[in-house]
Amino acid sequence: SQKIEQNSEALNIQEGKTATLTCNYTNYSPAYLQWYRQDPGRGPVFLLLIRENEKEKRKERLKVTFDTTLKQSLFHITASQPADSATYLCALSNNAGNMLTFGGGTRLMVKP
Amino acid sequence: NAGVTQTPKFRILKIGQSMTLQCTQDMNHNYMYWYRQDPGMGLKLIYYSVGAGITDKGEVPNGYNVSRSTTEDFPLRLELAAPSQTSVYFCASSYRGQNYEQYFGPGTRLTVT
């Protein structure tokens, strides 16, 4: 069955450092991969979408990579700030349907 | 634009009761979705709709029903509530399908006791 894995343990980093979050998948051939941010008690907010034929995508301090050979996406936040503290969810979809499948999320804590 | 709105924010149900979670979007999006999120877990798709009058099952549809009579509204009905349905429910919408970003509502926290 399809499986999407994100590190369930919280990632703690110092302000100003680069945070790197991982999303691995198995038994899946996604055409699109999305990253969302979720703050406590709120709904997820879209950050970035990357297509299977794109290796990398950037938006301000955010960078996403998508390696279909390794079946992995990396999500980077450069010059991290305490305001970046949140849970980050990856979500995959393919061309066959209309659904996104979400990973369990990784909680990021940026300490001043 | 209000985006995606959900009511109620919180609800406690007794086992066997029924209720409807309301969801409305004002972005004229074709696609709408219902997810549930259990503590520390990701989102699981319950039902989705690609347009008015069209609905389809997601990953965990048992115990739920939906309807889509207008573009704006996508209510989720719980019949015979069970403790396993205790969760946070999110409604979302998108312009088209899986290659478009989804906009989420603030969620409804439901407890079944």
Side-chain angles (χ1 to χ4, degrees):
Chain A
S1 62
Q2 299 170 358
K3 200 170 181 181
I4 302 171
E5 289 184 338
Q6 295 185 257
N7 195 342
S8 58
E9 291 185 14
L11 177 63
N12 293 293
I13 65 166
Q14 205 68 35
E15 182 177 7
K17 300 292 186 184
T18 295
T20 298
L21 284 70
T22 305
C23 176
N24 295 303
Y25 58 92
T26 54
N27 298 324
Y28 205 106
S29 297
Y32 309 96
L33 192 147
Q34 302 187 26
W35 283 89
Y36 287 78
R37 170 186 171 135
Q38 187 173 24
D39 292 290
R42 292 178 175 264
V45 175
F46 172 80
L47 296 174
L48 282 167
L49 180 150
I50 187 166
R51 293 172 173 76
E52 62 177 333
N53 60 352
E54 298 175 314
K55 296 292 185 191
E56 182 180 297
K57 201 154 199 180
R58 293 174 185 260
K59 179 183 175 182
E60 297 172 353
R61 295 185 295 113
L62 309 180
K63 184 177 87 171
V64 172
T65 63
F66 192 6
D67 190 325
T68 55
T69 301
L70 291 179
K71 295 185 182 295
Q72 181 181 78
S73 173
L74 297 178
F75 177 81
H76 307 271
I77 305 175
T78 58
S80 59
Q81 305 164 1
D84 294 326
S85 298
T87 296
Y88 292 86
L89 304 166
C90 72
L92 281 66
S93 61
N94 56 34
N95 283 319
N98 296 303
M99 298 190 291
L100 276 181
T101 303
F102 281 83
T106 297
R107 187 177 175 205
L108 173 66
M109 299 284 290
V110 181
K111 299 188 177 180
Chain B
N1 282 357
V4 178
T5 57
Q6 292 182 239
T7 56
K9 284 188 168 46
F10 304 93
R11 184 72 186 267
I12 299 174
L13 279 182
K14 293 191 186 305
I15 295 171
Q17 288 185 323
S18 301
M19 76 164 294
T20 299
L21 282 65
Q22 302 291 345
C23 175
T24 300
Q25 54 94 8
D26 63 359
M27 296 174 282
N28 203 30
H29 283 169
N30 295 306
Y31 287 59
M32 294 187 75
Y33 313 83
W34 273 106
Y35 294 92
R36 61 176 287 171
Q37 186 175 37
D38 298 322
M41 306 290 284
L43 299 153
K44 292 194 183 297
L45 183 66
I46 305 171
Y47 271 96
Y48 68 98
S49 168
V50 302
I54 306 170
T55 62
D56 208 346
K57 295 178 181 178
E59 186 182 355
V60 290
N62 291 344
Y64 307 94
N65 275 303
V66 293
S67 59
R68 184 101 182 266
S69 56
T70 67
T71 300
E72 296 79 19
D73 301 306
F74 190 40
L76 177 72
R77 178 85 178 158
L78 278 73
E79 304 281 1
L80 299 174
S84 61
Q85 293 178 304
T86 293
S87 190
V88 181
Y89 291 83
F90 289 103
C91 179
S93 71
S94 64
Y95 174 60
R96 290 276 177 85
Q98 68 277 16
N99 55 331
Y100 284 81
E101 63 189 274
Q102 294 189 8
Y103 294 79
F104 284 81
T108 294
R109 185 174 295 273
L110 176 68
T111 302
V112 182
T113 62

